[in-house]
Amino acid sequence: MSGQGTLSRPARQRQGQGQRRRRVRLDEHLPVDHRLSRVYRVGAGLIGLVLLVFGILGLTDQIGVFDTGSHTTAGLNTNGALSVLSICVGALLFVGMLIGKNFASTLNMVLGLLFLISGFVNLALIDSGFNPLAFRIQNVLFSFVVGVLLMFFGMYGRVSGSLPHDNPYWRARHPTQVEDERRGQAAAGKRAVHAHRAVTSHHRQRPHRTAG
């Protein structure tokens, strides 16, 4: 008995370590056509469309590639480089929209973080002599807004400390609890079947007793 206990303790430790690693991973499988995938697709598609429109409008104005003048498109300062970059990021988000699932979620989070970083970096470059993307304060605010929106769409239903137990990411990170809940539900189902059979049997026996 002591040998079995000694052997099982490392196994339990490895299992606990595996569960801790699963809690922080972001590559769990999301079932096909899950409703969360639609959220990731919609977020990527909407932001991608906005960036594509902004980039295309900027290119139609034929602004210089690294022009730092006051050329605005849809209320935002722009130049050729920013327009091309916006089109590329918008197209990438459309790819994420088409693929969906974990890819769209991860893409939204990564690009959202990059937009936030871009906002801080370009905020520092506004008053400097090096401002290749012709950012102004409105561009910085737009970058922050887009970054927060993308982070929200990417993290929705995936990164939280209180995910519901039917969430696929929660189930992937807590396999032991999922198995316990499955067993509990199976046991409850069996009890319900037995109770139903007992009630049915009781009702069938009542006429015979009455007749007797």
Side-chain angles (χ1 to χ4, degrees):
M1 294 297 291
S2 60
Q4 293 177 355
T6 304
L7 291 175
S8 63
R9 188 176 297 110
R12 289 197 300 269
Q13 292 176 351
R14 288 194 297 270
Q15 183 179 9
Q17 292 173 357
Q19 291 177 3
R20 286 194 295 270
R21 285 194 294 268
R22 279 191 289 268
R23 290 191 187 100
V24 298
R25 289 178 59 185
L26 292 177
D27 59 349
E28 295 92 349
H29 175 67
L30 179 67
V32 179
D33 295 330
H34 194 276
R35 61 182 180 83
L36 289 177
S37 183
R38 293 194 291 270
V39 175
Y40 306 146
R41 288 174 182 267
V42 169
L46 288 176
I47 303 299
L49 178 62
V50 171
L51 294 176
L52 280 175
V53 171
F54 173 74
I56 292 173
L57 291 177
L59 287 181
T60 57
D61 290 337
Q62 297 182 349
I63 307 171
V65 177
F66 294 109
D67 194 334
T68 58
S70 299
H71 301 284
T72 60
T73 298
L76 300 175
N77 211 59
T78 187
N79 60 14
L82 183 58
S83 298
V84 172
L85 182 60
S86 298
I87 292 175
C88 293
V89 175
L92 183 59
L93 284 170
F94 263 92
V95 172
M97 179 190 69
L98 294 176
I99 296 177
K101 297 186 291 186
N102 287 24
F103 179 82
S105 171
T106 303
L107 180 66
N108 286 342
M109 285 191 287
V110 171
L111 290 181
L113 180 60
L114 291 178
F115 266 93
L116 293 177
I117 295 174
S118 173
F120 285 110
V121 171
N122 286 284
L123 179 62
L125 297 177
I126 286 180
D127 295 327
S128 68
F130 180 74
N131 188 10
L133 298 180
F135 260 58
R136 295 291 183 270
I137 190 62
Q138 62 267 30
N139 298 77
V140 172
L141 296 176
F142 177 78
S143 185
F144 286 150
V145 171
V146 171
V148 170
L149 288 175
L150 284 175
M151 292 287 286
F152 169 79
F153 281 118
M155 292 181 175
Y156 182 80
R158 186 175 185 180
V159 181
S160 173
S162 57
L163 295 175
H165 289 198
D166 61 346
N167 183 285
Y169 296 112
W170 186 94
R171 298 178 70 84
R173 296 166 192 166
H174 303 82
T176 303
Q177 296 184 41
V178 170
E179 182 62 21
D180 292 341
E181 289 184 358
R182 186 190 66 79
R183 292 176 180 174
Q185 291 173 356
K190 290 180 180 179
R191 288 194 296 268
V193 170
H194 290 316
H196 177 72
R197 289 177 178 175
V199 172
T200 303
S201 176
H202 175 72
H203 283 297
R204 287 177 179 176
Q205 293 175 2
R206 288 184 63 185
H208 297 288
R209 294 176 179 175
T210 303

